[in-house]
Amino acid sequence: MNTYKIAVIEGDGIGKEVVPAAIEVLDTVAKLDGSFQFEWTYFPWGCDYYLEHGEMMPEDGIETLKQYDQIFLGAVGMPNIVPDHISLWGLLIKIRRGLKQSINVRPAKLLAGLESPLKNPQNFDITVVRENSEGEYSDSGGRIHNGADEIAIQNAIFTRKGTERAMRYAFELAKNSNKHVTSATKSNGLTYSMPFWDEVFEEVKKDYPDIDTAVNHIDALAAFFVMKPQAFDIIVASNLFGDILTDLGGAIMGSIGIAPAANLNIEREYPSMFEPVHGSAPDIAGLGIANPIGQIWTGKMMLDFLGHHEAGARILNAIEKTLASGIKTGDLGGTATLAEVKNSIIGNL
Ligand code: ATP
């Protein structure tokens, strides 16, 4: 029997509610499968920890996390008490960069039983592979002068290594699932970075002659997400483009409360981190009404990454059954509590 050592960071707000619910689901599916189990180790890091210790996580936190197979994270942030840049850079970004989680994967899929805000959504099932370590989100640039003479420079940094890594990951995903790959570009407006991005895409695709490809400018792609999301399988995008596109993906699915995500160290040298798209949702924290599906689906992505695809599929089926039976939290227009949704999913497993 495989035992996976998982570091758990519930974090703040609804993270403390949705993570225990997802762990219950994951333990149940592990028991039903019988070939693996989880050993959960909890770390109380986040904004409460910051208020007590003056840091979001201990100095040696990254070293501690390296001892685990994967990281399962809820949400981090208490915007009214701890400034967002402290909670973000003191924990999330520190982990993503410290553990070289260079790929961010976010699916957008129309689940059975869910209402998309699109008027007539076809059955879409998209996976966005977002470069997670460089590109437009690079700490490079500066500001000089004041007033009317003020200048701000923000550099976007694209390395061949980082660009190629994201693209190869997208092609490997497509290869294993018989899908096609779309590259998100903007080479008609950005004159250095995106022509480079296009060139690397042309090179990488030669290694995958059986996979169909397309190249779309990001503005057109955003429109297509609304007009015909069913036309896409795997999309590879830079850090900024992927960030924007995946929020749109979450929106057309029906609620940010169901959208899952993974920050992957694809070399498997360090643990990867699985965290839903949504944040700590302070407006509904502690009320027991948060939607646990985003966190539970994120757990399914962790299972997939660990190679347990059958167990992962079982979770997604159980989620769809629950939604189809009308058991939904308020963000999806229902009246169910977090516990009712979680118990229904466990029942459906
Ligand atoms: P962050 O900066 O951490 O992303 P945020 O407040 O900007 O935080 P979210 O925490 O994702 O963003 O919340 C955005 C809105 O979506 C809030 O109104 C919140 O209540 C709602 N929301 C987010 N997650 C869920 C969930 N799991 N269930 C129900 N509603 C949710």
Side-chain angles (χ1 to χ4, degrees):
M1 162 113 58
N2 275 329
T3 301
Y4 299 114
K5 287 169 59 190
I6 310 292
V8 181
I9 306 170
E10 292 180 342
D12 306 307
I14 62 167
K16 295 184 200 303
E17 301 169 66
V18 293
V19 169
I23 286 181
E24 221 181 304
V25 171
L26 287 166
D27 278 338
T28 307
V29 88
K31 223 175 258 168
L32 289 168
D33 183 278
S35 71
F36 65 94
Q37 62 184 2
F38 293 107
E39 192 182 291
W40 310 100
T41 305
Y42 291 79
F43 295 94
W45 304 340
C47 291
D48 283 331
Y49 188 90
Y50 174 82
L51 293 175
E52 206 174 310
H53 299 90
E55 52 189 3
M56 294 292 293
M57 63 195 280
E59 188 109 41
D60 61 356
I62 296 293
E63 288 308 310
T64 304
L65 290 173
K66 283 182 182 170
Q67 297 160 25
Y68 292 86
D69 292 319
Q70 310 298 344
I71 303 162
F72 196 50
L73 185 136
V76 174
M78 261 187 205
N80 292 339
I81 303 170
V82 179
D84 269 345
H85 70 272
I86 290 183
S87 54
L88 194 65
W89 285 87
L91 198 134
L92 282 180
I93 294 188
K94 215 170 172 176
I95 297 175
R96 286 181 193 157
R97 303 221 164 157
L99 298 178
K100 297 194 176 151
Q101 295 165 348
S102 58
I103 304 285
N104 186 273
V105 180
R106 293 180 174 184
K109 177 174 157 60
L110 187 64
L111 297 187
L114 257 202
E115 231 174 86
S116 162
L118 299 181
K119 196 169 172 189
N120 184 20
Q122 310 290 312
N123 214 3
F124 60 84
D125 185 358
I126 308 167
T127 301
V128 179
V129 174
R130 165 184 166 196
E131 204 297 317
N132 208 28
S133 65
E134 52 176 48
E136 304 88 345
Y137 296 169
S138 305
D139 198 10
S140 164
R143 289 174 69 162
I144 52 170
H145 307 314
N146 292 309
D149 293 327
E150 191 165 11
I151 299 172
I153 297 173
Q154 176 82 47
N155 294 312
I157 295 179
F158 287 79
T159 66
R160 181 167 284 273
K161 222 171 164 180
T163 305
E164 202 175 317
R165 183 170 47 205
M167 291 173 177
R168 284 198 185 278
Y169 187 76
F171 276 101
E172 289 296 323
L173 269 189
K175 192 168 86 180
N176 296 330
S177 53
N178 205 12
K179 293 185 166 178
H180 65 269
V181 177
T182 303
S183 166
T185 186
K186 190 60 192 166
S187 44
N188 61 352
L190 299 167
T191 46
Y192 298 106
S193 58
M194 283 295 137
F196 169 76
W197 175 274
D198 290 353
E199 276 168 38
V200 177
F201 188 73
E202 288 302 312
E203 281 169 30
V204 171
K205 86 176 196 193
K206 285 192 190 125
D207 290 339
Y208 301 88
D210 298 334
I211 297 177
D212 286 339
T213 59
V215 174
N216 282 139
H217 291 303
I218 186 65
D219 41 354
L221 207 46
F224 291 154
F225 256 46
V226 175
M227 306 302 289
K228 50 167 189 177
Q230 71 279 8
F232 301 97
D233 284 339
I234 313 278
I235 295 176
V236 60
S238 64
N239 212 335
L240 171 69
F241 293 174
D243 192 8
I244 297 171
L245 213 50
T246 50
D247 259 33
L248 188 50
I252 60 172
M253 280 200 284
S255 164
I256 194 176
I258 63 169
N263 298 285
L264 301 180
N265 173 262
I266 55 172
E267 296 81 9
R268 296 183 189 250
E269 184 187 359
Y270 301 125
S272 294
M273 179 162 67
F274 298 83
E275 56 160 321
V277 172
H278 67 73
S280 57
D283 52 332
I284 56 164
L287 301 178
I289 57 167
N291 193 340
I293 290 178
Q295 190 76 45
I296 294 171
W297 192 351
T298 296
K300 178 239 186 268
M301 291 186 79
M302 184 165 76
L303 282 176
D304 285 340
F305 195 66
L306 291 168
H308 295 284
H309 299 286
E310 214 173 287
R314 204 167 186 162
I315 290 186
L316 199 56
N317 283 338
I319 290 174
E320 291 195 285
K321 260 193 187 167
T322 293
L323 292 170
S325 68
I327 301 175
K328 298 173 190 172
T329 43
D331 55 311
L332 296 173
T335 55
T337 62
L338 179 153
E340 284 165 348
V341 172
K342 181 254 301 172
N343 289 336
S344 164
I345 291 171
I346 289 176
N348 288 332
L349 285 174

